[in-house]
Amino acid sequence: MVEIREAIVVEGRYDKNTLSQIVKAPILETNGFGILKDKPRLQMFRRVACRRGLVIFTDSDGAGFVIRNYLKGAIPAKYLKHAYIPDVPGKERRKSSPGKEGKLGVEGMTPEVILEALRRSGATFLSEETSAVSGGITKQDFVQWGLSGGADSSLLRKRLQKRLDLPEHLSANALLEALNLLCCREEIAEILQELRTEKETEIRQMPNAYHGEKYD
């Protein structure tokens, strides 16, 4: 397993599954052409790019280049690196027939081809650097902060997502991944304290009418 500093953008979950067995890095999905209309997801990609850089790793067919070119136009070039796979005829094992252009996608590539593509892109291999990314936010942090396992955890997560301008429909696991891409533990702890203070102020301002959300 090779650790890479940048986040990697792929088209879908099968590509992500393939890469996750080869490299240790944040892997983001475009949901195919979904990224073309998903402004919150694109905004998150921009923020991740500014924080740690992005490697765009789409398929070598026409659809892959449409997605790649869209991201090239939406995110400053200085934050992007591009990994390209070769044109290899064939189909993935899970498919009954080849794709429209008859080429293997990222998910069908061997580990050797994927690693070579990443090296050629200029991705930063942390195993070859003197330092690595520090420990991130964990599921245990979520429990301690009340973001998981509590009666009001879902509501608190939604308020946190809104404060950070993150996509609305993130699961707890997806939120954990996003926070590790964008923030440090201290930043999140500070924001959560601000949210609790705001809620306490709201409660004090309408003591007789308020019977709704609370954070224990």
Side-chain angles (χ1 to χ4, degrees):
M1 185 74 70
V2 175
E3 187 172 7
I4 291 175
R5 185 186 307 279
E6 295 84 2
I8 303 173
V9 174
V10 297
E11 294 180 44
R13 62 189 178 97
Y14 293 105
D15 301 325
K16 181 175 181 178
N17 289 342
T18 295
L19 261 69
S20 65
Q21 298 176 51
I22 301 168
V23 298
K24 181 180 179 182
I27 303 174
L28 309 176
E29 302 174 41
T30 68
N31 287 335
F33 288 132
I35 188 62
L36 304 184
K37 296 183 179 180
D38 193 338
K39 299 304 180 184
R41 184 181 294 268
L42 178 61
Q43 178 61 21
M44 187 173 75
F45 281 13
R46 289 194 184 107
R47 294 172 65 188
V48 173
C50 292
R51 187 175 182 90
R52 62 190 301 159
L54 286 181
V55 177
I56 300 180
F57 205 162
T58 55
D59 292 348
S60 62
D61 59 8
F65 273 87
V66 168
I67 295 169
R68 183 187 297 274
N69 289 333
Y70 174 75
L71 293 174
K72 285 172 66 176
I75 300 173
K78 64 182 179 179
Y79 300 126
L80 297 179
K81 296 179 180 179
H82 293 273
Y84 297 93
I85 58 172
D87 287 339
V88 179
K91 72 174 184 66
E92 287 75 15
R93 293 180 181 179
R94 66 181 177 85
K95 296 181 179 178
S96 59
S97 60
K100 184 177 180 180
E101 298 182 25
K103 301 175 183 179
L104 286 175
V106 171
E107 66 169 292
M109 295 293 111
T110 64
E112 293 76 16
V113 169
I114 286 174
L115 289 175
E116 179 62 19
L118 289 169
R119 288 186 187 281
R120 289 183 176 181
S121 76
T124 307
F125 284 67
L126 290 176
S127 57
E128 300 170 4
E129 295 287 310
T130 57
S131 62
V133 176
S134 59
I137 300 164
T138 66
K139 289 185 177 181
Q140 184 57 39
D141 290 323
F142 265 37
V143 173
Q144 293 178 352
W145 291 335
L147 290 168
S148 179
D152 301 309
S153 294
S154 177
L155 182 59
L156 182 55
R157 289 198 304 272
K158 289 183 183 301
R159 289 175 67 95
L160 178 61
Q161 287 165 215
K162 184 176 181 180
R163 174 63 63 86
L164 294 172
D165 292 323
L166 292 173
E168 179 181 359
H169 301 291
L170 289 179
S171 66
N173 286 337
L175 176 59
L176 176 62
E177 182 179 27
L179 294 183
N180 272 309
L181 288 168
L182 298 169
C183 309
C184 68
R185 181 181 285 104
E186 292 74 17
E187 290 172 331
I188 297 304
E190 182 176 344
I191 292 172
L192 289 173
Q193 183 56 50
E194 291 175 359
L195 291 176
R196 294 178 191 280
T197 301
E198 290 173 4
K199 181 51 57 181
E200 291 171 358
T201 301
E202 290 176 14
I203 294 174
R204 286 196 299 270
Q205 290 176 346
M206 45 181 173
N208 297 322
Y210 190 82
H211 301 288
E213 63 202 52
K214 64 177 181 178
Y215 305 143
D216 294 327

